[in-house]
């Protein structure tokens, strides 16, 4: 990637290390290698256990829950490590997302998405409304699988999905999706050093590029007491053409006691993208979960040397997309950074279970906390990903 | 959990850390996430491989063995990482145990149970007698999967099971189990620092609560040369009512050379519990392994909103239990602690493969090696666990 | 194992540690515990994902690739972590190899074999010629699954296999295999400390014994710029009797700038073995991959106590083998060591999927970089391995 000097300092901010301020390294790596076991049992139970071994020496816990189905009022009740219902782009499976990395705002306000919690999922019988209500612990247990601490840092979350138009006659080629989501969190801004738990009042994200450091980062905010996130989502899909947009806003209240506390804070961000299937397929939609699904190419990719007739070929499906993304994590005494981003994407679907993605990202960061005097920077990055699931 | 001051020092004994002497933190975590592959091959071979990823970034090796069946005299011969036959409550699968954690004495004298070894399992043709004879390396290879060192720290183990009464007519609702078990171990009490191996002459356990530290702990005993463990087990089961008790005694001889050696030592402990299935089921018994099995509720748990007839429901199976536990790890110059414990348990079986456990534990520790002047303490703790296997 | 003093210093070369210069410890461990998922999809795709958990707390990534089959010209194209086509003994599965550890030269010039790359596999329609051409990143990503760094350290590899004789009439009991392989690598001998990547211009290996340290090791060679490896392979198989031999030579050019650079270097090595199936089976051969396959005993091992007729038994298959191995990693200013090795092997195949191996190794190392004044040493080692796959 090409970068301006500031980015080097955001990537390698430790003055003691030899690569302090150097530009980010090129990276080739396995992004996700997940093993999933899921099923249903005794007609009314469900379970899923999923671990990611992209770094084989250190697994990461992903979905890890059990649940009961068909309950009155509650619908499906899931207990365990699961995604918090905040941000359409996080709820979409990474297997189906069109861009390689998630938008700034989505990852910033719901980092890694999964937490230990309990949540109820239900929908109306005509599937035009669906909702989720849940409560979650705020600490990310991806690595160690345990939440330790006397201070209960927890959140309440809810999401309501409405799909006023879903063109059944065309097998769902046309649809409109709206959703609102909210979160009320109570971090331990006090972060007493004799407690085992850390202050979860922190927002941070990578810049839609898999860099080593998170270039936008508020740090753990001293005195963070309560915060509220509100989000709106929309999709308009017309056959091969899709418009998607989301906006999220976060208000954080601080106490008056903690060392380093300050005034209340407001952060916010948004993104929108348009995508088009050159080969005419459409991106499917699941009304009860309010998320997009798996693209099925009309013709799978293959190249076979048939002895008499020369080479027979199928070319899979091709999709173009462009996304604009914005995030503002700088307010009052906190300078997490402000970023504007544009991404271009191309997806080549070999078949429903594998594809190759190409992304070009241009980003501009400003109002960042100074590192060696730099408060802004810009970068361009190229990324490609090969994906298969089975 | 509520605790007296001493417990804080037993939990956080490092004076240099900020939480020195603080009371134990609340903990919410995944206790076991195990993946198991097992099978039979070529009619006479068996294998099992099982890894636990409760902490996803660091797996733990559990059963990892292969074996031959139907051998003359030897019966089934297993080679690899497997449970040592010491302590009924350890031989019972954690999936079937009634209390959340194992009794003090069982874990203290057979920590984590599994070791690399070779063992023969056989039984009489009427199944009234069954036995196991094996030899095991004493180092726990759960994490690194390897035993390194020139000093061979090994043990010989044996267990003989007798089930004089097993009510076949009632499908095993009534039975009586007796067993004796013995272990002869030869740790490397010398623990030469130029050797890679550590002195396995050490007994320790958590207090039937999943605390961070092991509150009872003899440490690695200098000069530990040989030790012998003898144990007796009993179960009397009358339909829904079950009485269980075990006693184990350990004698340890020390050499006269090692720095810090001392007189010979004696440690011992016991537990007993009574459990009752409120819904009338019974805890099954396996005569050839001498262990308890999987409870099958008469009616599985479900709650379904049937359109016309209101809510249909099944309530699963319910079980109550109370356990008393004792362990004395203090003798002569070694002050590992003496604990008395009472636990109350409630188990709600949703179906044969999942259940929820509730435990309340009150414990009292005394004669513990002084930490910041404290030699005793008491605590109460509440625990709950959700369990599923498939 | 028995060793001379020099070996102790090669095994424990850190003067600061208490075991400095001590003889190697005995070791009992799990060598490989692999889980593999593989399959084909949509008729023209293949994939394999395989992780090794021999040390349960830290997995190792093995094969991790996807690919397309039946392509014109390219044949099968694999993308991802896969074996580099250098060294017959590395290409043979560890499940089928006759000796416990691979020969010195094979591991030295192709450490751990697997790298991220892209490779094409094809063969003539009569299968008498087969070939592989590929390009690979040089960093071993076994543990962390990622390649980071602005300097692209990559290699080009190729292998051509010819099997002029393959006795179809006898089901492949007799065959002759020849192959040549080459590698052109461009390490970052400069190894700028502000780069994340390390100099991959390094050759090292254990001494056909699973010791803790690699006793033969050139270290990261300063100024390593380009290197070329050429290898030849041969097998002659006559029923139960097999002769195998390989020779590899490496030429390394150095730049004139890097601190510590020196003259160009030449390393080389070879091995040969003869094996004999006492029970008359043969080691099968796969012409399209140019590797050996799974031995199928004529009679599987079993011992069953049949009530009337005494003990019925089958004894599996038995194989004897002896191997001579040579490696020279010492040239000019680099003293990686020179080793001569003789190994005796016995394999007892219980059935096609499990066996037990016994190896005795005698080795002699000289011209090693001095550790505490020692530049040579010799050792004998005994090893046994129990193997099962399913």
């Amino acid at each position: 990637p090409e970068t301006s000097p500031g980015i080097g300092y955001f990537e390698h901010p430790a003055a003691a290390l030899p690569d302090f301020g150097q530009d980010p390294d090129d990276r080739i790596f396995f992004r996700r290698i997940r093993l999933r076991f899921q099923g249903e049992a005794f007609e009314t139970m469900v379970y899923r256990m999923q671990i990611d071994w992209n770094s084989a020496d250190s697994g990461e816990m992903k979905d890890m829950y059990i649940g009961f189905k068909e309950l009155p009022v509650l619908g499906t009740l899931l207990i365990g490590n699961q995604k918090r219902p905040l941000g359409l782009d996080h709820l979409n499976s990474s297997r189906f997302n069109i861009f390689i990395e998630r938008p700034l705002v989505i990852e910033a306000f719901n980092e890694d998405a999964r937490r230990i919690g309990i949540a109820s999922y239900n929908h109306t019988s005509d599937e035009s409304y669906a909702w989720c209500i849940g409560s979650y612990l705020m600490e990310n247990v991806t690595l160690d699988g345990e939440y330790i601490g006397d201070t209960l840092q927890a959140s309440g979350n809810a999401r309501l999905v409405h799909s006023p138009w879903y063109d059944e006659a065309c097998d769902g080629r046309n649809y409109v999706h709206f959703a609102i989501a909210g979160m009320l969190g109570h971090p331990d801004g006090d972060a007493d050093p004799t407690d085992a738990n850390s202050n979860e009042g922190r927002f941070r994200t990578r810049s839609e590029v898999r860099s080593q450091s998170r270039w936008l980062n508020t740090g753990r905010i001293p005195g963070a007491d309560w915060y509220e996130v509100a989000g709106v989502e929309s999709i308009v899909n017309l056959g091969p053409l899709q418009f998607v947009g989301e906006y999220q806003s976060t208000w954080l209240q601080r106490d008056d006691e903690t060392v380093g506390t300050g005034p209340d804070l407001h952060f916010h961000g948004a993104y929108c993208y348009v995508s088009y299937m050159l080969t005419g397929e459409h991106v499917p939609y699941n009304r009860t979960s309010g998320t997009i699904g798996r693209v099925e190419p009309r013709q799978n990719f293959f190249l076979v040397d048939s002895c008499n007739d020369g080479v027979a070929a199928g070319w899979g499906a091709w999709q173009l997309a462009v996304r604009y993304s914005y995030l503002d994590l700088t307010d009052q005494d906190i300078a997490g950074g402000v970023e504007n981003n544009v991404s271009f994407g191309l997806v080549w679907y070999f078949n429903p279970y594998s594809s190759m993605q190409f992304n070009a990202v241009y980003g501009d960061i400003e109002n960042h906390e100074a590192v060696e005097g730099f408060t802004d920077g810009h970068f361009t990055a190229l990324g490609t990903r090969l994906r298969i699931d089975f």
Side-chain angles (χ1 to χ4, degrees), chain A residues 137-284:
Chain A
L137 295 171
M138 293 177 69
E139 192 177 319
N140 188 347
V141 300
T142 288
L143 293 177
D144 59 8
E146 60 180 16
Y147 180 93
I148 300 181
D150 287 343
T151 318
L152 194 72
Q153 301 186 77
S155 75
N157 284 67
R159 179 177 182 245
L160 173 65
V161 175
H162 180 37
S163 49
W165 184 38
Y166 183 81
D167 194 344
E168 299 269 11
C170 291
D171 235 10
R173 270 181 72 82
N174 306 302
Y175 52 86
V176 170
H177 155 104
F178 292 113
I180 53 172
M183 168 167 170
L184 173 63
H186 184 34
D188 175 21
D190 170 33
D192 177 353
T194 67
D195 275 352
N197 53 355
S198 305
N199 175 2
E200 297 293 334
R202 170 179 65 172
F203 307 99
R204 57 178 190 170
T205 182
R206 292 190 176 80
S207 293
E208 303 187 6
V209 158
R210 195 71 191 168
S211 59
Q212 191 177 339
S213 301
R214 290 173 174 87
W215 298 343
L216 279 76
N217 193 342
T218 63
R220 299 184 187 276
I221 299 171
D225 195 16
W226 288 90
Y227 72 80
E228 302 80 37
V229 188
V232 293
E233 317 168 5
S234 65
I235 310 178
V236 176
N237 196 86
L238 301 167
L241 188 63
Q242 185 172 71
F243 301 91
V244 174
E246 290 194 72
Y247 172 78
Q248 290 182 5
S249 199
T250 296
W251 298 268
L252 185 141
Q253 294 84 42
R254 296 163 89 177
D255 64 28
D256 297 330
E257 302 160 17
T258 306
V259 177
T261 191
D264 293 354
L265 302 166
H266 178 234
F267 306 122
H268 68 126
Y271 76 92
C272 59
Y273 72 77
V274 52
S275 72
Y276 185 73
M277 298 287 321
L278 299 173
T279 40
E281 293 85 350
H282 73 285
V283 176

Side-chain angles (χ1 to χ4, degrees), chain A residues 40-67:
Chain A
E40 308 199 345
F42 298 96
E43 296 182 14
T44 62
M45 291 200 70
V46 292
Y47 63 83
R48 185 186 288 180
M49 81 181 248
Q50 187 185 34
I51 297 187
D52 190 328
W53 279 290
N54 67 72
S55 165
D57 69 343
S58 174
E60 294 175 16
M61 187 183 297
K62 298 296 171 183
D63 284 333
M64 191 68 62
Y65 59 72
I66 70 171

Side-chain angles (χ1 to χ4, degrees), chain A residues 5-6 8-10 12-16 20-22 368-376:
Chain A
Y9 289 98
F10 302 161
H12 297 125
F20 177 56
Q22 296 288 320
H368 189 286
E369 191 180 16
V371 183
E372 197 74 1
F374 288 93
T375 60
D376 54 21

